[in-house]
Each structure stands twice: as C-alpha cells, then as structure tokens.
Amino acid sequence: MANGDSTSGTLRYFGSQLRLWRTKAGLSREQLAEAIGYSLAMVQSVELGRRMPQQSFIDAADDVLGAGGMLTAGATHLVRERVPNWFQDYLLVESEALSFGIYECMVVPGLFQTEAYARAINLESCPPLTDAEIDERVAVRLKRQEIWGRVRPPMASGVLEEAALRRIVGGPEVMKGQVLQLIELAQRRNIALQVMPTGSGTHPGISGPITLVESVDHRNLAYVEYQGGGILISEAEDVSVLAQRFGMIRARALTPDESLRFLEGLGEEL
C-alpha cells in the first residue's frame, strides 16, 4: 500500500498556518527564508504543502514569526504523516502503549534500532528512496523511541532471532553500535530481551514477526507486517492466537541473563 496523497491534507494545513503567521508578521517569503536560514524554494514548498519541513525549520519559523509555540505544536501531527497509511493507526497506539511483546526474525525491531542501523536499513529499500525520504524515515524511527524516556516508560519483552543479530547491517561498525545499544536496553528494568538461538530449530514464530501491544486503555492489540504493508489487529480471538504463539516463542528462547551474555559475546566478536 502506498502513502499517495494521504499526507497532503495535514501538510497543506500546516502550510496555510505558516503563511498566515508570516503575513501577520509582515514578512515576505524571501524575508522569512533569510531569517530562518532556509531557501526561498523551501519556504514556498512548505507553504504550499508540498514538502515536509524539518524540525529545525518549524522551530525557527515559530520563533521568528512570534507564533508562541503554535507552529511547533503542529509538528507532532506532521511526524505521523511521514509514515504510510497502514502504519499510522499502529503508531498512535504505540506512542501511548503500556507494554509490548515483540518478536522479530529478520532485523532488529525499529524501537531498538540505532540511527546508523535505521539509516542502513532504509538505504536498501527497493525501489530506492531519496535522501530526503531516508532522512524522514530515520527521524520518525528515532521519534518513536522517545517512549523509552517517559517518566513511566512502557514494559517490553522482546525476542530476537540470532540470525537477525548476526546479519551485518551497514558494516561491522554499525552493527557493533547496534549490539551495544541492545546491551544497554537489556539492562533496563522495564525491558527484557531474549535471543532465539538458530540451533533451536523451528518454533511457533517461524511464520514472521509479531508485535503485541497493551494500549493506554488496557486493550490488547497486535500488529503484524508483510512486504509493503501491515495490519493492526483488535479482534480478541486473533490477538489471543498471536499472544499464545509469543508465549511459546519466549519459552524456547534463551533467558534474559543468557541473552545478555550472548549479546556481550557478540559485541566482542564485532
């Protein structure tokens, strides 16, 4: 599924607000561009809802135009619009989630990725993404990870396949940085990471990744992805099946302590 013009409404609205604040301040597009350090073409494109403004653009414009935080406040909605339609519903649930159960067999899950790892993953997209699109996707991924910095961060239980950890994404240096971040995350009180050894053979997760989510209103949901799309599942029976599978996956994996030692050993290898 493609994003198409799904972002245009929000971008056009933000552009209209930028234009109103600029007009109110008595500035031309040229003057605003000079004041915030961006090109005239960029200012024009943002006002017309054709380009996604960077956070630095939004903050600078808010300050120069005396918007009092009104433009900056809109940035949250723009971030959601950087992702495809099929991911937006899940993203809203994820941002307020109380707990997660994550099984990943191909790559390190997005919520655990370093910036360099996320960039390397997006560099391999097919068809290729533009540099701007890559920057936006990486920014969204890092923005999602802000949930770990909440006063009361969500609980998370994650199971990663050994094969995913041994896949050298972006080169040894990038992968080493990623493993070191996983080690740091594994030592947090709210996160339990487990490794599924390749030697364990088949198990209930062989069909693909699973993400279980407890929403802010205590609903149990699940999210699964496939090539080019994803589905947020709310039907209790379907969520229950995936929860049962995740439970069996956890039981087959190394314990959190064993997994931490595995990650430490892998970090020394890289």
Side-chain angles (χ1 to χ4, degrees), residues 60-79:
D62 192 281
D63 182 55
V64 168
L65 299 177
M70 296 295 290
L71 291 175
T72 301
T76 301
H77 303 287
L78 290 176
V79 167

Side-chain angles (χ1 to χ4, degrees), residues 1-21:
M1 298 175 64
N3 202 11
D5 290 333
S6 64
T7 67
S8 61
T10 302
L11 290 177
R12 284 200 302 269
Y13 178 76
F14 181 84
S16 70
Q17 293 303 300
L18 176 65
R19 185 167 57 252
L20 285 172
W21 281 103

Side-chain angles (χ1 to χ4, degrees), residues 75-103:
T76 301
H77 303 287
L78 290 176
V79 167
R80 290 207 301 270
E81 294 297 344
R82 294 179 184 179
V83 300
N85 273 342
W86 50 264
F87 193 53
Q88 290 183 29
D89 288 343
Y90 169 73
L91 196 60
L92 289 172
V93 173
E94 180 188 83
S95 65
E96 299 179 326
L98 300 177
S99 66
F100 295 94
I102 303 171
Y103 165 68

Side-chain angles (χ1 to χ4, degrees), residues 146-209:
E146 291 181 3
I147 60 174
W148 305 125
R150 293 190 329 217
V151 175
R152 292 185 180 277
M155 299 294 294
S157 174
V159 181
L160 285 63
E161 286 284 347
E162 178 183 348
L165 296 171
R166 292 194 180 278
R167 177 171 289 110
I168 306 299
V169 173
E173 184 176 349
V174 170
M175 201 62 210
K176 184 177 182 67
Q178 179 61 74
V179 171
L180 291 177
Q181 175 153 302
L182 289 173
I183 291 171
E184 189 276 324
L185 290 170
Q187 297 179 81
R188 298 189 184 188
R189 290 181 296 170
N190 62 307
I191 299 177
L193 290 185
Q194 295 176 254
V195 175
M196 177 68 76
T198 303
S200 65
T202 58
H203 57 76
I206 205 72
S207 297

Side-chain angles (χ1 to χ4, degrees), residues 46-61:
V46 172
E47 286 195 353
L48 295 175
R50 294 174 179 169
R51 289 192 65 179
M52 175 74 67
Q54 296 179 341
Q55 187 65 50
S56 56
F57 179 106
I58 297 170
D59 292 341

